[in-house]
Amino acid sequence: MLTGMGRISQLVEQYPDRKLQTLIHLVNKTTLKEVHKKQETGKASGIDRVTKTEYAGKLDENLDNLLARMKTFSYRPQPVRRTYIPKDGSNDKLRPLGIPAYEDRLVQGVIAEVLNVIYEPKFYDLSFGFREGRDCHMAIKHLDNILMGKTSWVVDADIKNFFGNVDHEWMMKFLEHEIADKNLLRYIKRFLKAGIMEAGQFTETDSGVPQGSLCSPVMANVYLHYVLDMWFEVKVKKSSRGMAEMVRYADDFVCCFQYEDDARNFYESLKERLAKFGLELSEDKSQIIKFGRFAGGGAGTFDFLGFTVISGKNRSGNYCVKYRTSEKKLKVKRASIKKWLWQNMHTPIGELVKKLNVKLRGHYNYYGLSHNFKKMNGFYCYVKRTLFKVLNRRGGKKKLNWEKFGKILQHNTLLMPMITVPLW
């Protein structure tokens, strides 16, 4: 893939204002095979019920057939199969999951690579979600630098059902800014309009990006690049009296201002800006709060990427910003780990603790920010107590006390919390 993609990357760098043509040739046998290799084995299948293993049985024949249909434009993406999975931390709530047909995933994968190569140099540094070499912790560190500066007011905004409300016409207009290949654009539009199949019933998709599509993350970034990022950088910053900065991860973003009037003017104009592009601000989940070293005793708190952001002081008594695991996320994590432990209560203790440590390590790797040790330790204690209760009910009788439990943990050590992401 590097030869073709590398050439596109070179053109984008040399001629940043030139529209790119003849991109559809990048969807070829070589690039499709590369995407095929990256797909996980054993994943759920789409409405075609074709798995990676089955498709690989006649890979060359299947890809030749797919490319022949693409050349004659007889290839049409199949509707996404919608299923539902339990929502984290809930026993009765479900969240929808979209599963594309296998060959659609291959084409989506190549198109996503093309879009990433084209748009990555154009995205602003304030954007961190779904971008190679960037992650949640980098977004938080960037936010921390802003909050430790001149910030006195924060706009914590939430877009209502962003991925389901992306306007298709605007999406295509945004793509046409950089892409002149009508054939590639035609297939992207077909993916947007492919529809949903649920319980044998077909539903058209008039808005939103395809669920489960490999193209959806980069298309979401493209949409918000024009709707939000560029607008903030070009207009909001210049029209503000003082400092104005934004940090965005996917559709989750926080805007920081030096002056209250700038924050309030932005909040009102944000509603109009989103409405213009078919989006809506969720006002019950959005807020304007005082925050920062100059906010005084009236400083509020807000959530970002699973953390509650608060004002505090370090050991030297100086102002600092602290990040705590949000209570909402903590509740979900506790419910999830509790359910898993009860489901695996009869697993041999050594194996059970080993698998449990994998989950704990994942928790520490994400939430192990500076000043968050207390929250992580609280989660560790909860897991330890729950493990004790589960082991105590094996066989239906209570026969374990804390002394015996302590001896078990001596031979099967439970992973202790640790700071994995120092902010300084």
Side-chain angles (χ1 to χ4, degrees):
M1 294 180 74
L2 292 177
T3 304
M5 298 299 177
R7 177 58 180 157
I8 298 301
S9 179
Q10 187 180 52
L11 288 172
V12 171
E13 184 177 352
Q14 290 179 345
Y15 310 102
D17 298 324
R18 180 189 293 181
K19 286 189 178 183
L20 293 167
Q21 306 199 31
T22 60
L23 296 169
I24 194 65
H25 72 278
L26 293 170
V27 184
N28 53 51
K29 200 167 184 178
T30 301
T31 57
L32 289 169
K33 279 188 175 182
E34 289 295 327
V35 174
H36 167 73
K37 290 178 183 177
K38 295 177 182 177
Q39 302 306 303
E40 294 182 24
T41 303
K43 296 274 286 187
S45 58
I47 64 170
D48 59 348
R49 298 298 178 183
V50 175
T51 64
K52 177 181 179 179
T53 303
E54 292 171 344
Y55 199 85
K58 296 181 178 179
L59 184 60
D60 288 312
E61 183 181 333
N62 287 331
L63 293 181
D64 288 338
N65 179 270
L66 170 60
L67 290 169
R69 284 181 286 133
M70 290 191 72
K71 287 179 181 177
T72 59
F73 298 103
S74 59
Y75 163 70
R76 289 189 173 276
Q78 300 181 63
V80 172
R81 181 170 73 88
R82 174 173 284 177
T83 185
Y84 292 86
I85 61 175
K87 199 170 183 179
D88 289 342
S90 176
N91 293 324
D92 54 349
K93 292 184 179 180
L94 301 173
R95 68 179 182 90
L97 181 68
I99 307 173
Y102 188 77
E103 71 173 7
D104 291 343
R105 287 184 64 85
L106 301 184
V107 179
Q108 290 167 7
V110 180
I111 292 177
E113 182 70 17
V114 174
L115 294 179
N116 275 315
V117 169
I118 295 171
Y119 283 97
E120 181 58 34
K122 303 179 186 299
F123 289 150
Y124 291 97
D125 287 339
L126 58 82
S127 166
F128 290 86
F130 307 130
R131 294 179 63 184
E132 188 175 354
R134 292 178 166 234
D135 57 26
C136 296
H137 295 142
M138 292 177 68
I140 291 171
K141 288 180 179 180
H142 188 66
L143 175 64
D144 188 72
N145 290 332
I146 296 170
L147 294 175
M148 289 293 291
K150 296 180 180 180
T151 298
S152 294
W153 293 86
V154 168
V155 176
D156 176 24
D158 182 87
I159 302 175
K160 185 181 293 184
N161 188 23
F162 165 72
F163 289 94
N165 288 324
V166 168
D167 185 279
H168 288 175
E169 289 188 17
W170 278 113
M171 181 80 254
M172 296 309 299
K173 287 179 182 179
F174 294 151
L175 291 172
E176 288 166 5
H177 271 292
E178 310 296 340
I179 299 172
D181 188 333
K182 293 183 179 180
N183 293 332
L184 181 70
L185 293 172
R186 179 187 296 186
Y187 278 120
I188 292 176
K189 190 170 185 178
R190 286 185 180 182
F191 277 115
L192 290 172
K193 300 289 185 182
I196 297 169
M197 188 69 73
E198 181 179 353
Q201 296 293 319
F202 174 77
T203 304
E204 293 183 355
T205 46
D206 298 322
S207 62
V209 289
Q211 282 186 326
S213 169
L214 299 184
C215 295
S216 293
V218 64
M219 285 199 292
N221 265 342
V222 169
Y223 201 83
L224 288 176
H225 169 74
Y226 289 105
V227 173
L228 195 59
D229 302 355
M230 185 178 289
W231 172 66
F232 191 92
E233 287 289 315
V234 175
K235 187 173 182 180
V236 175
K237 274 191 172 184
K238 291 183 179 180
S239 62
S240 298
R241 285 198 302 129
M243 182 277 295
E245 296 289 346
M246 181 174 76
V247 180
R248 180 176 68 81
Y249 190 94
D251 62 329
D252 195 357
F253 64 100
V254 173
C255 301
C256 305
F257 296 90
Q258 185 175 357
Y259 298 116
E260 180 180 3
D261 59 333
D262 287 337
R264 297 198 179 279
N265 290 336
F266 167 75
Y267 187 84
E268 292 303 317
S269 60
L270 177 62
K271 290 189 282 187
E272 297 177 7
R273 179 71 179 180
L274 294 178
K276 178 180 178 180
F277 298 98
L279 302 175
E280 183 181 356
L281 186 68
S282 181
E283 296 195 55
D284 58 328
K285 295 181 180 179
S286 303
Q287 58 178 339
I288 303 174
I289 60 170
K290 289 180 68 176
F291 196 95
R293 66 173 70 247
F294 308 110
T301 66
F302 63 94
D303 285 359
F304 184 62
L305 300 181
F307 292 90
T308 297
V309 188
I310 64 175
S311 294
K313 292 184 178 181
N314 59 23
R315 292 179 179 178
S316 302
N318 298 320
Y319 175 83
C320 70
V321 180
K322 297 184 177 183
Y323 302 84
R324 304 278 194 256
T325 311
S326 74
E327 286 300 323
K328 181 180 178 181
K329 292 295 182 182
L330 200 54
K331 183 179 179 181
V332 170
K333 294 287 286 186
R334 284 173 174 170
S336 176
I337 206 81
K338 180 180 179 181
K339 182 179 180 181
W340 182 85
L341 280 170
W342 284 106
Q343 288 176 339
N344 293 271
M345 66 182 298
H346 295 297
T347 303
I349 294 176
E351 183 181 345
L352 180 64
V353 173
K354 186 177 180 180
K355 291 181 178 179
L356 186 56
N357 280 339
V358 172
K359 295 181 178 293
L360 286 173
R361 183 173 289 107
H363 184 84
Y364 302 155
N365 284 344
Y366 185 81
Y367 289 103
L369 265 65
S370 305
H371 293 300
N372 196 35
F373 185 85
K374 187 176 180 180
K375 281 285 187 180
M376 288 195 300
N377 192 57
F379 181 71
Y380 165 81
C381 292
Y382 174 82
V383 171
K384 187 176 178 180
R385 290 194 305 269
T386 307
L387 178 62
F388 172 77
K389 292 177 182 178
V390 168
L391 295 181
N392 206 13
R393 291 297 300 272
R394 284 163 56 131
K397 293 182 179 180
K398 295 182 179 181
K399 51 190 176 183
L400 188 67
N401 55 38
W402 281 99
E403 184 180 353
K404 291 181 180 179
F405 182 61
K407 291 180 180 180
I408 290 174
L409 293 185
Q410 285 180 0
H411 299 284
N412 302 277
T413 306
L414 208 57
L415 193 65
M416 294 288 292
M418 65 196 82
I419 299 298
T420 56
V421 189
L423 289 176
W424 309 285

